[in-house]
Each structure stands twice: as C-alpha cells, then as structure tokens.
Amino acid sequence: AEPSTAHEYRTRLQDTQLLASRTVGENQWGDIKLGTVFFNTQSQLTNELAENREDYPFKRDNSGAALELQLPLWDRLEFVSSLRVEQYSDFDRVLTGKLGAKLEVADNTHLRISTGTGFRAPTLAQTSASNYSRFGLTSSTDYYSVGNPDLKPEKSRQWSLGILYQPTPQWSVGLDYWALGVRDVFGTWTDDQIWNDPTLRALYYTSNYNSAGKNRYLFKPFNQGIMTKSGVDYQMRYRWPVRMGRVWSGLEGTYNIRSKRSTYPGQTPISNLGNYDTATGTVVARNMLRLTTSLESRDFSVTAHVN
C-alpha cells in the first residue's frame, strides 16, 4: 500500500575530538613520537513529517581512541604503526590498525610500505527499517528505498608499496602500487535484475500500487559479497616562494589495474574496469587524473582542482 504520510529525512552528526602528540623517548637513531586521539561521534536520523514519531529518531553513538607510533629502527629506517579501537552502540567493539615503514635507499629517495585493516559501518538510513523514502519517479513508475536492519558493516584489508623522490626542496615525485579487498560490500539489486528474476520481482516490484495506477520498485540494501581493487597512484609536485607565501602545482593520477565486485554472496566477482557492469550499475575508469594549483599564505589558502 502507498505510505499514508510524507517522509522528509534529516541526518544530524556531532563529532568531538581531542588530539595530542609528543616525543616520548629517543634512541640512537632519533626521536620516538606518539600521537593520540580520543573521539565521540553521535548521529541521528529523523523523519520530520512523520505523524507517529515513536520510532524516531534513530540514533548511533560511536566512541573510541587511536594511537600512532613513529619509531626509528635504523639510521635510514622508520617504523610507523597505528591502532584504533571504537565502540559502536549498534555494532559492538571494532579494532583496526596499520603497519608501515619508510626506508631511505638513497639521498632524498624513500621506499615506503604499509598494510592495514578497515571498517565501514552502514549509514542510519541504510539500516533503519522505517526509512521508506522515494528518490525517483517517472510517468508510470515510482522508485523507493527502504533500510535493512540486518545489514552488516564492510570490512577491508589494504596494502601499498611505493617510492618517493625529492631531488630538490621544490620537486617531489611519488609512485605507489596499492591493493584493496572488501568483504560484505554494500549494494542493492538493480531494477533490471528485479524485473528479470521472478523471485526478486515478487519481493521488490508492485504494479498498480496506488490510485494513479503507478508501478513501484523497492530497493533494499544488502551485503553483496566481495570487492577487489588494485592500481598505481602517481604524483608530481613543484612549489616555489612568492610574495604572499608559496605556490605549488601538481599532477596526481591513478592507473587502475583491477576492479571487481560480486552481485550477490558467493558469486565470482565481475570486472567493472572500463566497462559498465549492468548487474551492479557501476563502472571504474582505467585512468583518473587531477591537476592542482594552490596558493598558501600565513592567513589563507586558495586551491583549484581539475579532475
């Protein structure tokens, strides 16, 4: 049946952070540095126009702390590690971290390597079952989205290996190979998939659902499976002093080598690299470029990007 009330959703986010860093010791190769952050994030989703607001607002509280340690291990080697622990009101405790190292292989030339884990909670709109909202319409069809309280968070692993070369104080050149793997990636069935599958059509499609004789598609997020990506990031920067401060210009780019994702749990991932994947409604460009110019002074900065 058609919803009896209008829906106007608003999301409110309040974030509080306390940061500190200091040198906590030294060894024969340099200073040992420690950075800390304590944080609390509160978010809520409200339906401004709902008549019965007992179910609103949906709320989430997220508190935690993170530490980052920089430790020189040799005259030309630096070790970096970070650990983040956080408590979600709806996803329990989460622990993520990162390990990295930077090795000076020649004057002004560094190799860097890192590996880490990640966590991404779904938004309140994605998990709130009462979030029933229209986001599109045609002369004959309406499109609605609804939340899924059983939606699991995305969890990821990533690593990178790269080189940074700074031949002069003005010039810097960087090149990094990276790879990323995500499980329980968020997604929805597309309208083509719903229409072509009798089981999905029975669940997510309704014909003549209102007095105007319109049809309706209902899109509900779910965990589609896995996603894998890899590529090469590169950058070139040049900076020079000016009367007001300094100016720098740069070229940054990504050459994507791999991009695959599942349509449903257990499916072999399908590539969407330079190819529109009709099953997921996604495409990833093989080449991405960004030109940047910035003026930085003591009191302000102005930056321009061309992507």
Side-chain angles (χ1 to χ4, degrees), residues 57-77:
F58 293 105
K59 296 181 179 180
R60 173 181 294 160
D61 186 86
N62 176 31
S63 300
L67 300 174
E68 180 175 286
L69 177 69
Q70 296 182 16
L71 176 65
L73 296 178
W74 182 47
D75 188 40
R76 292 174 174 261
L77 177 64

Side-chain angles (χ1 to χ4, degrees), residues 109-271:
T109 304
H110 295 85
L111 287 178
R112 50 194 181 189
I113 185 171
S114 67
T115 182
T117 58
F119 177 93
R120 179 188 174 199
T123 65
L124 289 176
Q126 289 176 310
T127 58
S128 302
S130 296
N131 171 25
Y132 189 96
S133 54
R134 186 171 65 183
F135 64 91
L137 69 159
T138 67
S139 59
S140 61
T141 305
D142 287 345
Y143 297 86
Y144 281 84
S145 65
V146 64
N148 180 3
D150 297 321
L151 194 64
K152 295 185 291 186
E154 292 182 346
K155 296 181 180 179
S156 63
R157 291 183 178 273
Q158 57 274 335
W159 68 273
S160 66
L161 174 65
I163 186 170
L164 177 65
Y165 177 51
Q166 294 178 289
T168 70
Q170 289 77 34
W171 274 105
S172 67
V173 180
L175 188 70
D176 293 273
Y177 173 79
W178 55 268
L180 168 69
V182 184
R183 58 187 174 95
D184 294 326
V185 63
F186 307 143
T188 63
W189 300 111
T190 66
D191 51 358
D192 286 338
Q193 289 175 306
I194 293 172
W195 177 256
N196 294 321
D197 188 301
T199 301
L200 296 178
R201 195 189 314 170
L203 292 171
Y204 302 116
Y205 178 81
T206 305
S207 60
N208 299 318
Y209 84 99
N210 65 6
S211 57
K214 280 195 170 186
N215 307 316
R216 177 182 63 194
Y217 281 98
L218 190 63
F219 296 91
K220 185 177 183 178
F222 69 102
N223 298 106
Q224 290 186 314
I226 62 174
M227 176 176 66
T228 59
K229 291 187 176 185
S230 64
V232 176
D233 290 342
Y234 53 89
Q235 68 171 24
M236 293 180 289
R237 280 189 175 186
Y238 183 78
R239 64 182 184 181
W240 63 96
V242 294
R243 192 172 190 178
M244 299 177 64
R246 69 178 180 182
V247 173
W248 63 265
S249 294
L251 168 67
E252 300 175 359
T254 297
Y255 177 76
N256 286 300
I257 298 173
R258 179 177 182 174
S259 178
K260 294 184 177 183
R261 62 180 295 167
S262 303
T263 304
Y264 54 85
Q267 182 201 36
T268 301
I270 299 172
S271 176

Side-chain angles (χ1 to χ4, degrees), residues 61 90 119 278 300:
D61 186 86
D90 50 353
F119 177 93
T278 57
F300 70 91

